[in-house]
Amino acid sequence: MDRIKVTVGVCGGIAAYKAVEVVRQLQDAGLDPHVVMTDSAQRFVTPLTFAAISGHKVISTLWSETAGSGPTDTPQPDGTPQPIEHIAEAQNTHALIVVPATADTLARFAHGLADDFLTTMYLATTAPVIVAPAMNVVMWNHPATQANLATLRQRGVRIVEPGSGYLACGMTGSGRLAEVPTIVAAALEAIAAAAPAAADLTGETVLITAGGTREAIDPVRFLGNRSSGRMGYALAAAAQQRGARVILISAPTALTPPPNCEVIPVTSAAEMRAAVLAQLPCASILIMAAAVSDFTPRHPAAQKIKRTGTLLLELEPTEDILHEAIAHRPPGTLIIGFAAETDSAGLLTLAHAKLERKGADAIVANDVSAPGQGFDSDRNAGTFITRDHQVEIPATTKLAMAHRILDETITLKRHQPVSAHR
Ligand code: CTP
């Protein structure tokens, strides 16, 4: 299958060099990025760098190099006129990702100026536009910049908010380019939302758990884990894109839930258990992506514990929600668990044992000790395991992995007579 073409617009800012990594990670995600550079971007990074990385000619001018009077002058070998390059680029791309987006480019976009290739293409495209601004903090906070951003936001442009930190100008504050994986994830989400996958989950109610539960030690402390919730939230976004009604039972995370999900916030394993059992009767698919605490303090203190010496915490096991859900499952409901393991060599054996012990229809095994994937990462890899077969899901973004998990789930639902009465 042809890779999806996207366009990366590079503007003139110190962060232009980070656009090289954005191009590379878009390729990793299976896309085919083409690069457009503004004049000032070429003062920071040469077009050659992007041409070498992307494998395509970099577009850096509106004007054809040979004709001098415009891009339509020279006919193609078959005699038909040359396509107008910025229009062709605008129509053939699946997303325009501008990184870094300078204050100047944001202003040009907001005001509809079109005096170079990038601004002209912006006006001519109907593909989703994602801008990742980077600039000095005072420029970022200036009312003119903020007004331009508000205009663009209102017109449907996705803004990947800059982070805070040390800026190249020596100041500290907002204006630092967002992290590369965040920009790539925003682009993937925009592409998926613009070209929705087949609505093959229409009519299904998908119940998803996400995040890491917290078990109170006292009113200010808890036992937690490193789950960010990203995998569960990606599953919720993907299921919704495919037409499902999505109920997301979420332990605390720093994430914004996908729009239109029914979100049930919970904190502890006991609260998650109650929410899952309450929602289970209306679910046709349950996916337990949450990292549920296996232990909880037997006697949480009513007051903050003082530092008076060695502290011994007595922990008791929590209920196994997945196992209980299987015991209470409505006929026909498919139940899928995760197995997060740190023993990469024994991963599949442990996951198969978990599949049997819990009685789930499938387990997604993932190695959370592998660098660059799992906890706190936008990427993941795993193996979708059923009793009959296993499917490898190579390292990819969590959104792409969520879609692969749903592909396998749908296949399982269609072909496996669910032993609902096990
Ligand atoms: N899970 C659950 N209830 C728990 C613990 C885990 O429902 N109290 C679910 C998780 O959401 C996940 C699956 O069970 O879908 C496996 O979780 P994992 O932590 O990998 O396994 P454990 O059940 O904790 O088993 P072990 O301690 O042997 O790894």
Side-chain angles (χ1 to χ4, degrees), residues 288 290 292 294 318-322 337-340 354 357-358:
M288 290 279 309
V292 185
D294 285 328
T318 55
E319 302 285 353
D320 188 327
I321 307 170
L322 183 56
F338 269 69
K354 221 165 258 186
R357 193 172 76 238
K358 305 223 179 201

Side-chain angles (χ1 to χ4, degrees), residues 99 244 259 281 315 327 344 375 396:
V99 51
L315 304 178
S344 47
F375 293 138
T396 183

